[in-house]
Amino acid sequence: MSEVIAALRQTVSSLHGELTRYGLVAWTSGNVSARVPGQELLVIKPSGVSYDDLAPANMIVCDLDGVVVEGDLSPSSDTAAHAYVYRAMPEVGGVVHTHSTYATAWAARGEAIPCHLTAQADEFGGEIPIGPFALIGGDDIGKGIVATLSGHRSPAVLMRNHGVFTIGKDARAAVKAAVMCEDVARTAHLARALGQPLPMAQADVDSLYDRYQNVYGQSGR
Ligand SMILES: [Zn+2]
């Protein structure tokens, strides 16, 4: 058990480096968590610690009610939202939250990102949806994430007036969704700024999504 948690401390700590590498976060905002497989636990970043100082040893282990099990620091202030998602969606193994600039600009307008790009069809299977406005603390953010993403192809939700939450089969997949969400949001913003993006046929979106999710990449990835 402790070996699994030690490996996840390493994984979650190093994945935070992807948030800064892709320019998705400012100061100490943003967070990555991973479910501990087969246990009612998650690993998440501590609250308010500089990205330069994040290390496997200062990651926090919490139960799925957000109560600290291992760690000396307070967990991320978004821990309740992550924990709610793990409780409600057993297939989810990783959760990421950012205020990445372009995606959050769509969230500020409460506007879903329509699917005008093959890359968005591949990764998100259609629009990237808007979730409800919710104040931090308690289960409201988690409830909004789960209500929006349950039964939706998109692994990303733009929480209104707030930012991005993504889910994945593991933490790495959730980080990828956060990176791709910002990439798509930036291109969609620029396309909209200069004109009216062209629609895509639903059948083409479906075909791209199916191919990318089931055929693309290395087998056994
Ligand atoms: Zn936030």
Side-chain angles (χ1 to χ4, degrees):
M1 161 189 167
S2 58
E3 279 178 24
V4 173
I5 290 177
L8 280 174
R9 283 175 171 277
Q10 175 72 55
T11 299
V12 171
S13 177
S14 65
L15 282 170
H16 281 89
E18 302 295 317
L19 303 188
T20 52
R21 184 149 77 102
Y22 287 96
L24 305 186
V25 292
W27 201 240
T28 63
S29 76
N31 37 71
V32 178
S33 72
R35 183 198 294 276
V36 181
Q39 298 181 50
E40 301 284 296
L41 297 172
L42 64 90
V43 179
I44 195 164
K45 131 187 191 294
S47 180
V49 173
S50 165
Y51 274 82
D52 286 343
D53 295 331
L54 294 180
N58 60 26
M59 295 297 111
I60 310 296
V61 182
C62 293
D63 68 19
L64 295 191
D65 292 315
V67 176
V68 174
V69 173
E70 277 180 27
D72 300 325
L73 302 168
S74 300
S76 162
S77 51
D78 295 301
T79 299
H82 291 243
Y84 188 94
V85 172
Y86 292 123
R87 293 202 303 275
M89 303 179 89
E91 71 280 16
V92 170
V95 177
V96 171
H97 173 50
T98 81
H99 303 155
S100 65
T101 306
Y102 285 89
T104 300
W106 290 84
R109 296 195 305 272
E111 187 175 358
I113 305 175
C115 189
H116 295 304
L117 296 165
T118 59
Q120 186 173 341
D122 287 347
E123 201 68 46
F124 300 94
E127 70 163 24
I128 299 177
I130 289 286
F133 177 78
L135 290 174
I136 194 165
D139 286 339
D140 288 352
I141 293 179
K143 281 180 186 165
I145 297 165
V146 170
T148 308
L149 294 184
S150 292
H152 204 293
R153 285 174 175 174
S154 174
V157 53
L158 310 175
M159 293 297 283
R160 190 164 72 82
N161 301 103
H162 184 175
V164 180
F165 280 85
T166 63
I167 57 175
K169 67 181 181 356
D170 55 25
R172 182 177 170 76
V175 170
K176 182 190 178 193
V179 171
M180 302 310 284
C181 178
E182 179 64 3
D183 187 54
V184 159
R186 182 169 52 227
T187 310
H189 172 93
L190 293 171
R192 174 74 70 80
L194 292 174
Q196 188 55 48
L198 301 175
M200 292 176 71
Q202 186 62 46
D204 292 334
V205 172
D206 292 346
S207 169
L208 286 160
Y209 180 71
D210 180 65
R211 172 188 157 278
Y212 188 79
Q213 298 297 323
N214 297 308
V215 181
Y216 175 82
Q218 308 297 320
S219 61
R221 78 195 157 117

